[in-house]
Amino acid sequence: MFETGSTDSAVQAFESQRDRLRAVAHRVLGSHADAEDVVQEAWLRLSRQDATAIDNLPGWLTTVVGRISLDVLRSRQARPQAPLDDRLPELLVTLDEAPAPDDDAVFADSVGLALLIVLDSLRPGERLAFVLHDVFAVPFDEIGRILGKSTDAAKMLASRARRKVRAAERPTGGGREQRQVVSAFLAAARRGDFEDLLRVLDPEVRLTVDTPGGVVVTLGATKVAARARLAAGAAAVGRAAFVGGLPGIISWREDGTPLSVLAFTVTDGRITTITAVVDPAKLAQMNLPDPARVARWPHDAGGRSAASGRSAGVKEAKL
């Protein structure tokens, strides 16, 4: 523990680093609440040290925060359910029938969601190495010590993460192609066609569902397809939409209550991530379109819009 004479200087030194440490933990973990907990734990660990014996206090604190954050990430991976907190940005939701947004606007709006999705899909070591080096310019030798790996291994982890992030910045395929893939997924879910679901899902697809109790993560095409078949019959009506700049769908119950908002990332003709919001409180805050307008669209027995003649798979989807 600190001697009495060194306590004030240690507190001052720590407080001078608090904002930076909080920023590091938040970027790594994507949660303000978790970041605050990590910073508090770092202070407790510092309080058990002789601060005067630490040559580079900022570096020492970064190492401690990095290691604690790594433990949190590994815990999430082992038990993929955690409070959502503020990890998802506010999502702009527009019906697919609206005039197509400018490509640059769509891309700018989708970056926040796409980046958070891909960060959540990274392995703990990859995420830590990428954030510490590419965002905070922490040298790879320090990152290696945090991870318990060599400098070259830390570089490799950051490089892998960087490739994944760049691939997610602009999903491959045009907007029409992406919506067609999403439509095929929705149609297969409604039919309960397991094999067709597997055809449009990436083998390592990640489904993240924001529920009232927190985030539930499902990994792998088989498990995601099984959940999609079970959930397909819950909605009375659904409409194709842009969600955070990504192709998605909004669904409502019979009484017009919002049921879910989903966003899809499509890469090389397959769905790689699905982000779903089903928490009624968050859905109520999303300024969704009027469901009465959706309910007025007539359908013929073939599942096509009688008003437009377009396939229900693209413009309108019963879930």
Side-chain angles (χ1 to χ4, degrees):
M1 297 291 291
F2 294 134
E3 295 181 0
T4 303
S6 64
T7 301
D8 290 343
S9 60
V11 170
Q12 291 175 2
F14 182 83
E15 289 301 325
S16 70
Q17 296 293 318
R18 181 183 289 275
D19 288 346
R20 182 183 66 85
L21 297 173
R22 187 188 297 115
V24 169
H26 179 248
R27 287 297 186 96
V28 172
L29 299 173
S31 164
H32 282 302
D34 286 348
E36 291 288 355
D37 289 344
V38 166
V39 171
Q40 182 61 25
E41 176 63 23
W43 162 250
L44 292 175
R45 294 191 185 186
L46 177 62
S47 71
R48 296 192 288 266
Q49 302 291 323
D50 178 4
T52 61
I54 301 175
D55 294 332
N56 179 4
L57 183 60
W60 187 91
L61 288 170
T62 299
T63 297
V64 170
V65 166
R67 287 175 177 167
I68 299 171
S69 298
L70 187 62
D71 289 341
V72 173
L73 289 176
R74 287 169 174 165
S75 176
R76 284 182 187 172
Q77 189 176 59
R79 181 181 49 84
Q81 180 172 343
L84 179 67
D85 191 55
D86 53 351
R87 288 193 294 153
L88 290 182
E90 181 178 353
L91 298 178
L92 174 64
V93 180
T94 57
L95 288 177
D96 200 0
E97 69 172 353
D102 176 77
D103 284 345
D104 290 337
V106 170
F107 174 59
D109 186 59
S110 68
V111 165
L113 177 59
L115 179 59
L116 286 173
I117 290 173
V118 74
L119 284 178
D120 273 348
S121 71
L122 298 177
R123 295 179 183 277
E126 293 175 342
R127 180 165 179 164
L128 186 72
F130 170 76
V131 170
L132 289 183
H133 183 268
D134 287 38
V135 179
F136 294 98
V138 176
F140 280 120
D141 58 340
E142 293 185 23
I143 296 173
R145 286 195 293 272
I146 294 172
L147 294 171
K149 297 181 179 293
S150 67
T151 300
D152 287 343
K155 289 180 180 179
M156 184 175 297
L157 287 171
S159 178
R160 289 175 185 167
R162 199 175 298 118
R163 286 196 299 270
K164 294 176 182 179
V165 169
R166 287 173 178 169
E169 285 179 344
R170 189 182 291 272
T172 59
R176 183 185 300 274
E177 177 187 341
Q178 292 177 40
R179 292 195 294 275
Q180 287 175 344
V181 173
V182 172
S183 297
F185 169 83
L186 296 171
R190 292 194 303 274
R191 295 193 308 271
D193 192 324
F194 195 78
E195 292 302 321
D196 279 356
L197 282 169
L198 294 180
R199 288 189 183 94
V200 295
L201 291 171
D202 185 88
E204 298 182 1
V205 62
R206 180 186 182 94
L207 168 64
T208 303
V209 184
D210 176 8
T211 75
V215 169
V216 178
V217 178
T218 302
L219 301 174
T222 301
K223 292 182 179 180
V224 171
R227 289 202 60 175
R229 287 202 305 178
L230 289 174
V237 64
R239 286 298 305 274
F242 290 104
V243 180
L246 300 174
I249 189 165
I250 314 167
S251 63
W252 293 266
R253 294 185 174 89
E254 288 282 1
D255 62 2
T257 304
L259 178 64
S260 64
V261 170
L262 290 82
F264 299 81
T265 302
V266 179
T267 304
D268 295 331
R270 286 192 169 187
I271 295 169
T272 54
T273 63
I274 306 172
T275 301
V277 179
V278 300
D279 182 354
K282 291 187 173 66
L283 290 171
Q285 299 172 358
M286 295 179 69
N287 192 29
L288 298 176
D290 182 2
R293 178 170 168 235
V294 175
R296 286 198 301 268
W297 278 59
H299 292 78
D300 61 24
R304 298 173 64 85
S305 166
S308 67
R310 286 188 294 265
S311 167
V314 176
K315 285 297 189 182
E316 186 152 4
K318 287 289 188 79
L319 296 183

